[in-house]
């Protein structure tokens, strides 16, 4: 558990061992919308233990940065929120398959990455580049609620840099760019009737059958960009319709999620879905969308980062969507790098191997200190 001050607020010790610091951060519950206590602790730790940083509070986002006039600026960002709990807080430790793990909500996604960044924010006071650290809220909800959406609109200068690193879980490897994502509601209309006289109605649910058939036979594209393979996917993720067991439904809806390669724009993605469903009498509405991000591994700071990590670190495409997209939209190449297996994010058994924490810390430390220059 995190230490408490005399007012009973959690205190984070940025000089603590990385496992202890991660544990303290994980044990401050911060489900989306409830990030204030953790943001308070992060702000207090940076103001009290990193005097070389300018610290800015924007809602429940904490920004810290240097102003040394160096020719390069690197932005490092991590979100403070988690998905809802599943009886997995406070955190626990276990030894399994020859390694020790920290278990609990947020250990993987992405408080391990936040801990690594916080510790280095205090340490890297003589980095060979200017640094901006961003610890932000509301990532695990709709894009409109993500604090980076607001900051990009109101203070885009906070996000500007030559290179950005997002601390999403990558098992301490590097995942370049990210896929775009789009959610769409596909609605079929019919005519309501008593189910005993179905011939006077028109069953809207039945009109969704061709949609499901097309999705089931859909063959997703695999796009290779800068040597990284992004696998697309178009899937039904929810379906609804009907009001009672004796009523022919006059409306039915299937929700689709399209994950598309970063060489595809949002407009192109929507056009593709409409093409897949062309010829069907349906209403199609885009309810949420986020652009992808190209790998960004061919820039000088990206090459320096990879060199600091060493040739053994795996490099792959990010198969999900992450906030590297926001940096890419501002012209800042960005990658994902953090401890924890991304396949464990949001699971009831969410955990992070302790070696991942140490590996991510040491790799990023080499890049941000004179060891990596």
């Amino acid at each position: 558990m995190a230490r408490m001050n005399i007012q009973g607020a959690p205190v984070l010790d940025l000089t603590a061992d990385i496992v202890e610091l991660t544990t303290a951060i994980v044990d401050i519950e911060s489900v989306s919308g409830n990030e204030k206590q953790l943001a308070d602790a992060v702000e207090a730790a940076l103001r009290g233990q990193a005097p070389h940083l300018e610290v800015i509070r924007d809602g429940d986002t904490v920004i810290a940065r240097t102003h040394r006039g160096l020719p390069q600026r690197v932005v490092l960002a991590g979100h403070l929120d988690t998905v809802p709990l599943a009886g997995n807080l406070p955190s626990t430790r276990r030894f399994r398959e020859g390694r020790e793990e920290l278990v609990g909500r947020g250990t993987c996604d992405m408080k391990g990455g936040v801990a690594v960044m916080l510790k280095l924010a205090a340490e890297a006071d003589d980095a060979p580049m200017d640094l901006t650290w961003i610890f932000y809220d509301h990532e695990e909800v709709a894009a409109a609620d993500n604090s980076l959406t607001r900051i990009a609109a109101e203070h885009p200068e906070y996000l500007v840099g030559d290179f950005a690193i997002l601390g999403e879980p990558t098992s301490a490897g590097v995942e370049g760019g990210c896929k775009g994502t789009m959610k769409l509601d596909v609605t079929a209309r019919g005519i309501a009737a008593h189910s005993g006289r179905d011939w006077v109605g028109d069953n809207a649910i039945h009109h969704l059958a061709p949609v499901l058939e097309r999705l089931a036979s859909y063959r997703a594209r695999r796009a290779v960009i800068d040597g990284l393979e992004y696998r697309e996917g178009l899937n039904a993720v929810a379906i609804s319709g009907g009001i009672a067991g004796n009523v022919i439904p006059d409306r039915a809806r299937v929700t689709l999620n399209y994950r598309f390669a970063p060489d595809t724009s949002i407009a192109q993605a929507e056009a593709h879905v409409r093409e897949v469903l062309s010829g069907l009498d349906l209403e199609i509405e885009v309810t949420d969308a986020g652009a992808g991000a190209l790998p960004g591994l061919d820039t000088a700071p990206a090459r320096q980062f990879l060199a600091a990590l060493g040739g053994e670190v795996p490099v792959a495409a990010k198969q999900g969507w992450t906030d590297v997209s926001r940096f890419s939209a501002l012209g800042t190449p960005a990658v994902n790098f953090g401890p924890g297996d991304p396949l464990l994010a949001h699971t009831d058994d969410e955990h992070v191997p302790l070696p991942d924490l140490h590996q991510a810390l040491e790799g990023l430390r080499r890049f941000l200190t004179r060891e990596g220059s």
Side-chain angles (χ1 to χ4, degrees), residues 3-334:
R3 292 191 297 110
M4 302 290 177
N5 63 19
I6 58 174
Q7 287 80 33
V11 174
L12 300 175
D13 179 4
L14 304 188
T15 67
D17 173 80
I18 187 59
V19 177
E20 295 175 8
L21 179 57
T22 303
T23 301
I25 293 171
V26 168
D27 287 341
I28 303 174
E29 183 267 302
S30 58
V31 173
S32 301
N34 192 38
E35 298 96 330
K36 183 179 184 304
Q37 188 178 49
L38 180 53
D40 288 347
V42 168
E43 180 186 11
L46 290 170
R47 291 191 187 279
Q49 301 171 55
H52 61 286
L53 295 172
E54 174 198 20
V55 179
I56 302 166
R57 179 72 176 257
D58 186 322
D60 285 333
T61 290
V62 182
I63 300 160
R65 55 189 181 173
T66 62
H67 297 282
R68 298 168 57 212
L70 297 173
Q72 264 184 13
R73 178 172 292 277
V74 172
V75 182
L76 302 102
H79 64 82
L80 300 176
D81 61 321
T82 72
V83 296
L85 306 185
N88 49 2
L89 277 188
S91 61
T92 58
R93 297 254 199 113
R94 72 183 178 204
F95 193 82
R96 189 176 64 162
E97 297 179 355
R99 68 183 185 186
E100 195 170 4
E101 299 168 341
L102 181 65
V103 183
R105 178 61 78 222
T107 49
C108 171
D109 188 16
M110 56 166 285
K111 291 184 174 181
V114 167
V116 167
M117 290 183 174
L118 268 177
K119 189 168 180 61
L120 291 174
E123 283 185 19
D125 58 352
D126 191 29
M129 70 286 284
D130 270 311
L131 301 175
T132 300
W133 307 88
I134 304 174
F135 303 97
Y136 62 102
D137 58 288
H138 283 84
E139 190 272 348
E140 298 288 8
V141 287
D145 296 324
N146 187 318
S147 67
L148 290 189
T149 303
R150 181 188 73 252
I151 291 169
E154 298 176 358
H155 296 287
E157 69 276 10
Y158 292 166
L159 306 182
V160 170
D162 299 287
F163 182 55
I165 300 170
L166 193 68
E168 290 283 354
T170 61
S171 296
V174 175
E175 293 185 341
C178 71
K179 291 192 294 194
T181 182
M182 177 173 288
K183 292 180 182 177
L184 309 96
D185 281 344
V186 178
T187 302
R189 302 286 180 175
I191 300 173
H194 193 291
S195 59
R197 294 178 290 277
D198 62 346
W199 60 89
V200 301
D202 182 18
N203 195 313
I205 291 178
H206 293 178
H207 289 313
L208 292 181
V211 177
L212 300 179
E213 289 173 358
R214 293 192 186 186
L215 294 176
S217 61
Y218 180 79
R219 293 295 175 262
R221 182 172 74 115
R222 296 188 179 193
V224 177
I225 303 170
D226 294 343
L228 305 182
E229 183 181 71
Y230 297 85
R231 299 183 61 170
E232 296 191 337
L234 177 59
N235 291 280
V237 293
I239 193 164
S240 62
I243 60 171
N246 59 354
V247 177
I248 299 299
D250 63 352
R251 183 176 181 274
R253 180 179 67 199
V254 59
T255 300
L256 309 186
N257 184 213
Y258 181 31
R259 300 292 177 130
F260 49 94
D263 60 351
T264 301
S265 69
I266 289 176
Q268 290 170 330
E270 180 181 356
H272 177 67
V273 176
R274 291 184 180 277
E275 180 183 6
V276 170
L277 301 179
S278 63
L280 303 180
D281 186 16
L282 302 164
E283 300 167 14
I284 302 174
E285 178 188 5
V286 176
T287 60
D288 193 24
L294 293 169
L297 296 175
D298 56 350
T299 62
R303 290 194 296 269
Q304 292 164 6
F305 177 54
L306 293 176
L309 296 180
E312 300 300 316
V313 173
V315 180
K318 185 65 178 179
Q319 297 300 341
W321 184 93
T322 74
D323 280 313
V324 298
S325 170
R326 301 182 188 280
F327 293 102
S328 179
L330 293 171
T332 301

